[in-house]
Amino acid sequence: MAHNANDVLNLEPSRPEVRKENQLPPKTYADAVEENLESYGKKDFSTPVQYIGQGEDNAPRSPMRKAHKRNGSVRVNGTEKEKVDHKVPLERFEDADGKDLTSIRPTSNYKDALRQDEKEQKPLVRRNAKDELVSGRRAGAGWQRSGIRFAPMNIPLQRRLQTLVVLFHTLCVALLLTTFFFLCAIPLFWPLLLPYLLYVLFSRAPHSGTLSHRSKFLRSMKLWSLFASYFPARLHRSQVLPPTRKYIFGYHPHGIISHGAFAAFATEALGFSQLFPGITNTLLTLDTNFRIPLYRDYALAMGLASVSRESCENILSKGGPNGEGMGRAITIVVGGAAESLDAQPYSLRLVLKKRKGFIKLAIRTGADLVPVLSFGENELYDQVRSDSHPLIHKAQIVLKKALGFTIPLFHARGVFNYDIGMMPYRRPLNVVVGRPIKVAQHAQPHEAYVDEIHGLYVRELERIWGEWKDVFASERTGELEIVE
């Protein structure tokens, strides 16, 4: 059925020149727009409009498309698609403390993805009837299972500085000795190095007891607080010590490098002057350390002195307000190199039964004995056990008898990893200063009195251990053991 074109289309022209030719009055643009809007609102779009115009032939027409109905597609590329649920599926887990851990419940394809990952991790093996192709191990797979834990890059600056200061203290002997040899390779410095070497050989500063090279500024520098906070370390006082007496602090255990003794008694990082006002403490070390060029000057500036008998007696009998050592103190690491070989983590073996030389020194000088127990000193390093490697242990003993010191085979962490290196572990250090044991002065100590004071000293150490082991050594594997 044909329709009149005038019923379907508005044949009245709208262009001005066309209207003028057809003798029609002009129409404004606004009237034309309004008329088109009215006609547009009256149209019925429920059925498609069929336009019939001139020039059509009798060819069959394309069928009219039905209105498109938007339904949720259930197949994508031949695969069924799951319906989307706007409620996020959750599942909760509860730990031993009753705290909830909320996680998103995995989808149905989660296990399939895991199985696919497992297939990808397996070595590729392809076989056929004729040939057999076997692939080698996957490169880099061992690094994924490596036991070395590397430090992340986003470490705070303070922890980086702590590591740097501890690294310097650990390697300061090697660094300063290397610097000295480097200067020796430059002929320009020879006129200065020759007199310096003569001074090192004949200097009495480590034994004089005057402490003339001691630098309060160097001992109080802020960088030592970075050193102490690396572990971290703390100093604890059991009783106030009057500055009118002189003291011998016995530090236990030796550990590998005695980091706790250095932090507590060679620097002001832990506040020794605040805890024990009026007392000038000197940490003692081997006399051979003062024969190392450059390092001996660094050690003297930090207030260290020789552990020789002459040095101890001079420090405790000179200086102070009365000029006879009042207010002076020395710190001796009693166990020495022999005790360092027993420095195993979470255990405490003290070489003390036959160590009575410091007791006799206290009686001769009239100095009170102060036991000091460092919780955590043995935990800073791991070393080869003597019972597992007896030959190595015998070689270490021979070296100690020949040179006066030994070299423990130890390791801990590194600068950029947590498992391999010579840096100490970051484990707490708690240095507990016990109660003083008053000593009567005698020029010639009697053995009975020496044994009596030695027994009191051991009992004070046991008291410190008994009172604070559950606080500062909760992960211990044994109790305090006093050995030869």
Side-chain angles (χ1 to χ4, degrees):
M1 176 180 178
H3 295 274
N4 190 357
N6 292 333
D7 296 337
V8 180
L9 299 175
N10 183 9
L11 300 180
E12 183 179 353
S14 60
R15 300 180 61 181
E17 61 271 13
V18 178
R19 294 181 64 84
K20 185 176 180 180
E21 292 177 357
N22 294 303
Q23 298 180 357
L24 295 174
K27 183 185 295 185
T28 64
Y29 179 76
D31 294 337
V33 171
E34 183 177 359
E35 182 179 349
N36 289 335
L37 289 175
E38 292 177 357
S39 63
Y40 179 81
K42 294 178 182 180
K43 291 181 180 181
D44 185 9
F45 294 95
S46 60
T47 58
V49 180
Q50 182 177 5
Y51 297 96
I52 301 176
Q54 298 178 357
E56 291 184 342
D57 54 15
N58 295 326
R61 300 286 158 248
S62 300
M64 302 301 298
R65 296 182 62 183
K66 296 182 180 180
H68 180 68
K69 182 179 180 181
R70 300 183 63 87
N71 294 327
S73 177
V74 295
R75 298 183 67 84
V76 177
N77 295 331
T79 305
E80 293 187 1
K81 183 176 69 177
E82 296 181 355
K83 294 183 179 180
V84 178
D85 188 1
H86 296 287
K87 295 183 179 180
V88 179
L90 302 177
E91 58 183 359
R92 299 180 183 273
F93 301 92
E94 187 173 299
D95 60 7
D97 298 330
K99 297 181 180 180
D100 290 333
L101 179 66
T102 305
S103 303
I104 303 296
R105 184 178 300 162
T107 62
S108 58
N109 297 329
Y110 178 73
K111 294 183 179 180
D112 297 336
L114 289 180
R115 286 192 291 268
Q116 182 65 25
D117 291 341
E118 293 177 357
K119 292 179 181 179
E120 293 177 358
Q121 294 297 329
K122 293 181 179 179
L124 179 61
V125 179
R126 296 178 180 176
R127 301 186 180 185
N128 53 34
K130 296 182 179 180
D131 302 323
E132 182 176 292
L133 179 64
V134 179
S135 300
R137 61 188 178 93
R138 188 183 298 273
W143 287 96
Q144 299 176 358
R145 302 187 300 270
S146 175
I148 302 176
R149 298 167 297 163
F150 290 94
M153 297 300 295
N154 56 343
I155 295 294
L157 177 61
Q158 182 180 3
R159 292 178 69 87
R160 292 295 189 192
L161 295 176
Q162 291 170 354
T163 303
L164 181 63
V165 175
V166 174
L167 179 64
F168 168 76
H169 174 69
T170 305
L171 302 177
C172 62
V173 176
L175 292 175
L176 294 176
L177 193 58
T178 302
T179 303
F180 174 77
F181 287 126
F182 175 77
L183 296 176
C184 290
I186 304 176
L188 182 64
F189 291 99
W190 290 356
L192 299 176
L193 293 177
L194 182 59
Y196 174 74
L197 288 177
L198 295 176
Y199 167 74
V200 170
L201 292 175
F202 298 102
S203 174
R204 301 294 303 166
H207 311 274
S208 62
T210 59
L211 307 181
S212 58
H213 292 68
R214 187 187 183 101
S215 174
K216 183 178 180 181
F217 170 77
L218 185 60
R219 290 170 55 91
S220 304
M221 291 181 67
K222 293 294 184 181
L223 62 89
W224 299 124
S225 64
L226 292 172
F227 174 86
S229 59
Y230 170 90
F231 302 100
R234 294 198 67 184
L235 180 63
H236 308 274
R237 180 189 68 190
S238 298
Q239 183 176 322
V240 177
L241 302 181
T244 55
R245 303 281 296 176
K246 41 189 168 182
Y247 304 94
I248 295 178
F249 288 74
Y251 184 86
H252 308 272
H254 183 282
I256 300 296
I257 305 182
S258 301
H259 288 296
F262 181 83
F265 305 117
T267 73
E268 289 296 332
L270 303 184
F272 180 88
S273 297
Q274 286 74 31
L275 291 175
F276 306 98
I279 297 177
T280 302
N281 199 335
T282 302
L283 179 63
L284 305 182
T285 184
L286 293 176
D287 186 65
T288 54
N289 290 328
F290 298 97
R291 297 291 180 260
I292 303 175
L294 298 184
Y295 175 75
R296 51 100 56 194
D297 302 286
Y298 164 73
L300 289 173
M302 293 300 299
L304 275 66
S306 173
V307 75
S308 64
R309 175 177 174 177
E310 178 188 4
S311 174
C312 296
E313 291 180 349
N314 287 336
I315 293 174
L316 296 175
S317 60
K318 297 180 180 179
N322 62 350
E324 297 180 356
M326 186 175 70
R328 288 283 187 93
I330 60 175
T331 299
I332 303 175
V333 184
V334 179
E339 194 172 81
S340 66
L341 299 179
D342 291 328
Q344 296 293 337
Y346 310 110
S347 64
L348 190 58
R349 287 169 55 91
L350 302 184
V351 179
L352 188 57
K353 283 186 178 181
K354 295 183 178 180
R355 298 295 174 107
K356 299 181 180 179
F358 72 104
I359 303 290
K360 297 177 182 179
L361 175 65
I363 296 174
R364 285 195 302 266
T365 58
D368 295 345
L369 287 167
V370 183
V372 179
L373 196 58
S374 177
F375 294 88
E377 185 71 56
N378 285 347
E379 282 76 60
L380 301 182
Y381 294 94
D382 293 320
Q383 74 163 317
V384 175
R385 298 184 62 90
S386 59
D387 53 357
S388 301
H389 300 81
L391 294 179
I392 296 178
H393 182 68
K394 289 180 180 179
Q396 292 172 330
I397 296 299
V398 172
L399 182 64
K400 176 186 174 299
K401 292 180 179 180
L403 302 178
F405 65 91
T406 187
I407 303 176
L409 297 181
F410 65 92
H411 72 89
R413 56 161 293 173
V415 178
F416 301 109
N417 71 84
Y418 300 122
D419 300 288
I420 298 177
M422 297 181 63
M423 291 283 293
Y425 292 120
R426 286 181 178 265
R427 293 172 180 172
L429 272 175
N430 289 277
V431 182
V432 180
V433 179
R435 299 166 184 168
I437 301 171
K438 290 188 177 182
V439 177
Q441 186 173 4
H442 296 285
Q444 298 294 332
H446 299 286
E447 290 297 328
Y449 187 60
V450 171
D451 294 339
E452 177 185 352
I453 298 300
H454 187 272
L456 294 175
Y457 184 91
V458 172
R459 282 196 289 273
E460 177 60 18
L461 277 176
E462 292 173 345
R463 183 198 67 81
I464 298 173
W465 171 259
E467 287 188 6
W468 300 107
K469 63 181 180 181
D470 292 332
V471 179
F472 300 135
S474 58
E475 298 181 2
R476 65 190 183 277
T477 58
E479 296 297 324
L480 173 64
E481 185 179 356
I482 308 295
V483 297
E484 298 297 332

